[in-house]
Amino acid sequence: MRGAQLTDLLDHSPAGVTEALDVVDGFDQALVGGLSRLDAERTAALAALAGAVASTPLGSALAETVDKVAAGSVGDEHLLRLAGARSAIVGAVHDALREQADTALGRTRAQWPAPTTAAGPVDGRLLAARSWLTELAITGWRNVDHDLVATSQQALHALLAEPALRRAAVLLDGLAAELHHSSPVATMDRLPVRRWADLWARAMLLTSPESQPAAPEPVSGRLLILGADVHEHATAVQLQVHALLETHGEPTGDDAPRLVRVSVSAAKVDTIVGPVIWQLLAAHPVLLAALAGRLSLDVTGMPLHPGGDLVWHDGQARPGEPADPFAVARVQLGEALAPAVPPLDRHPVSIAEPVLLEGYTANSDDAGLSFDLDGTRIAVDTDRLPGCGPLTADLVAASTACLGLLRWDDGGWSVQPIGVQATVKRKKVAVHTGDWAQGPTDPKIAKAVARSGDPIAVLRERAGRLLRK
C-alpha cells in the first residue's frame, strides 16, 4: 500500500455514512427501553428507519410495521422486518466503506451469486428462538433479568441439537451468555447498545430460511499464507488464516490468485490463555505446521464458499515449499481477486482486508501508535494483538514493513498487524502471529509455559473424573 493509496482512503469519507449510522443509533436506543415503551422520540426513530428504506422493496411493508409497533401491536414478523431494515442500512454503510477500500487498493472483487433455490419453510426450532428474541425487543435491554435470559435455554438446546442450525445456535448462546453475565441489566452504568443490537438483528435474520449459506464448491491448488488472526473469548478461540489460493482452473478458470480465509475454532475456559491456546487447535496439525514453518500448502477438493471461506479439512492438505508471507504479498497480493461478501456479513466490523505497508515511519503519541507513509498517518490497532503469539506492540513500533488487516471501527480506518519486519539488536527479523503455532520459539516463554504445567491436560483429567462419577 503506497502513500497515495492511503491518502485516498483517509481523506475521502463516503457520503452518508454518518447519517446512516445516526438512523441505526436511533433504532438501537428504542431497544434499550423496549418497543412496548416507546415515547415520542423513539417512535420518531422508528419512523426515520422506515424513511431510510422507503425507496427499497422493504419500504411499504416497513412503514406499515412501524405504525403497528407504535400502536402497541408487536409480532415476530414485525420485528423480523425491523431487523432486516436495520441490517440493510448497516449493509449500505459496509458497501460504501468496502468500495472505498477496494478503490484505494485497486482490488477487484467477485460478485455474490444469485440464489438458485427458493427458501423452504421455517424450522420450528428457529421460530422458538425468534419468539425469545421478540420478547427481548419488547422488554428492552434495561429490563432484562435472569428470568428472561433463562427462557432462552429450551430454544437454545433445540438449536444445538441440529448441526444445520449451529450458526443461529452459537449466536443465540453468545447473546444469552452476555445478557446473563450483565443481569440485572438495570444496574449497569453503560450498555453496549450497538453491539447488542447488532447481535439481536443478526440473530433475528438467522431465524429466516433465506439466511442459509450458499453451497461451497470444491477447489484444488496451492495455498500461500499471508498471516493469522486469533479471536479469543472466555469460552472459545478461533484462528483465522488469511491466504492466497492459486487454483488449478476451477471453479472459475481465472489465473489470478484469490483471497481466502481459513477458520478453525475450539471451545475453552477463561483460565486457558497465552501460548497454551494453540494446543486447543491440535486437531489441525498440518495447518499449524504451515503457520509455524511458513510453508505453502497443497489442497485438494477443499470446499470453498462464495464468501471466501475455505472449509478446512486437515486431511485434504499437505505441506508444500517454504513461502515467505512478505514475498508472497509483494508479488501477488496486488493482483488477487477478493471474495464476494455474503449478505449477512455486510457490516463494517467484518472488514478485514489484507494489506502490505512498507517504507513508513512508526510514531507513538497520546493517541497511540500510527504509521506515517509519505506524510499520511494511519492508526495501528495494537489492542488486537493476541497474547498467544510473539508479535508485540514494541516490535510493531520498531518495524519497517507490516502485513496487516485494514479495518474500520469507531468512525475511522486502522491497520491490525499480523506480521512485521523489524530490526532487533542490529539484526533484521520477521515476526508473525502464527510463529508459535507449534509452541513458543522464545526460550524464556517456553520455560515459563513448561513451569506452569499443562492446564489443558489437568482440565481434561478433572472432566473425565466428573464424567466417571
Side-chain angles (χ1 to χ4, degrees):
M1 192 174 189
R2 296 181 294 274
Q5 292 174 303
L6 193 58
T7 300
D8 289 342
L9 182 70
L10 300 180
D11 288 357
H12 304 92
S13 179
V17 167
T18 301
E19 293 79 3
L21 291 178
D22 286 344
V23 171
V24 171
D25 287 342
F27 172 76
D28 294 353
Q29 287 298 325
L31 290 178
V32 173
L35 298 182
S36 63
R37 300 174 178 82
L38 293 176
D39 56 18
E41 183 180 359
R42 303 308 173 212
T43 301
L46 294 188
L49 183 73
V53 298
S55 60
T56 72
L58 280 172
S60 59
L62 192 64
E64 179 184 349
T65 291
V66 169
D67 289 341
K68 289 186 177 180
V69 171
S73 176
V74 186
D76 292 6
E77 70 281 3
H78 300 138
L79 295 188
L80 188 60
R81 291 174 190 166
L82 288 171
R86 182 191 185 278
S87 298
I89 295 172
V90 172
V93 172
H94 161 274
D95 292 349
L97 293 168
R98 181 85 72 169
E99 183 178 359
Q100 182 195 22
D102 286 346
T103 300
L105 296 171
R107 187 159 291 171
T108 304
R109 187 168 300 277
Q111 297 299 309
W112 185 254
T116 56
T117 58
V122 184
D123 190 297
R125 290 164 289 194
L126 292 175
L127 289 176
R130 189 187 299 176
S131 178
W132 180 71
L133 293 166
T134 297
E135 188 63 27
L136 279 182
I138 292 173
T139 303
W141 305 127
R142 275 293 179 197
N143 303 296
V144 170
D145 55 19
H146 290 293
D147 291 338
L148 179 54
V149 176
T151 60
S152 68
Q153 294 309 298
Q154 185 174 357
L156 179 59
H157 291 157
L159 290 176
L160 287 171
E162 174 53 58
L165 304 178
R166 195 60 53 84
R167 276 203 309 169
V170 170
L171 180 55
L172 199 70
D173 186 32
L175 177 57
E178 286 197 26
L179 293 175
H180 171 74
H181 289 298
S182 302
S183 292
V185 178
T187 62
M188 294 179 65
D189 294 331
R190 295 181 62 188
L191 306 186
V193 176
R194 182 175 289 179
R195 172 175 171 76
W196 283 356
D198 281 339
L199 295 174
W200 175 85
R202 184 177 175 87
M204 283 293 291
L205 294 181
L206 284 175
T207 66
S208 171
E210 287 86 356
S211 69
Q212 297 306 308
E217 295 185 71
V219 294
S220 299
R222 185 169 68 148
L223 196 67
L224 300 169
I225 293 175
L226 296 170
D229 185 17
V230 180
H231 305 156
E232 187 180 347
H233 190 269
T235 59
V237 60
Q238 182 187 64
L239 169 67
Q240 190 170 78
V241 178
H242 294 264
L244 294 175
L245 177 66
E246 298 175 334
T247 58
H248 294 161
E250 77 265 27
T252 63
D254 194 338
D255 291 334
R258 287 185 286 174
L259 278 166
V260 297
R261 293 176 300 271
V262 174
S263 298
V264 294
S265 58
K268 65 182 285 290
V269 295
D270 55 6
T271 56
I272 298 178
V273 295
V276 180
I277 280 178
W278 294 106
Q279 296 179 31
L280 297 172
L281 304 170
H284 313 284
V286 176
L287 181 62
L288 297 188
L291 281 173
R294 301 176 193 171
L295 304 175
S296 64
L297 288 164
D298 294 318
V299 299
T300 304
M302 197 83 77
L304 177 65
H305 284 281
D309 290 297
L310 202 59
V311 183
W312 190 255
H313 298 286
D314 229 52
Q316 293 171 236
R318 57 185 180 84
E321 297 296 321
D324 174 32
F326 280 94
V328 170
R330 290 184 184 110
V331 175
Q332 293 188 277
L333 183 56
E335 64 184 32
L337 176 67
V341 181
L344 283 184
D345 291 345
R346 293 171 57 244
H347 192 294
V349 76
S350 73
I351 298 175
E353 288 296 313
V355 294
L356 173 63
L357 298 174
E358 296 182 286
Y360 54 78
T361 302
N363 297 285
S364 185
D365 52 30
D366 292 341
L369 185 64
S370 64
F371 290 157
D372 188 318
L373 195 63
D374 297 337
T376 302
R377 285 192 179 191
I378 186 168
V380 181
D381 190 351
T382 55
D383 291 338
R384 290 180 181 265
L385 297 179
C388 61
L391 198 55
T392 64
D394 288 341
L395 274 171
V396 175
S399 67
T400 55
C402 173
L403 269 168
L405 301 176
L406 184 66
R407 294 188 178 276
W408 190 89
D409 191 21
D410 197 24
W413 293 99
S414 63
V415 63
Q416 172 198 344
I418 56 176
V420 298
Q421 289 181 332
T423 300
V424 178
K425 296 180 180 179
R426 299 182 181 180
K427 182 180 179 181
K428 290 186 177 181
V429 297
V431 181
H432 298 267
T433 299
D435 286 349
W436 290 356
Q438 292 188 307
T441 56
D442 184 322
K444 292 181 180 179
I445 302 298
K447 288 181 181 179
V449 171
R451 283 196 302 269
S452 65
D454 189 343
I456 296 176
V458 171
L459 289 170
R460 283 175 177 161
E461 193 276 333
R462 290 177 180 174
R465 257 190 286 164
L466 288 173
L467 289 172
R468 287 192 294 272
K469 290 180 180 179

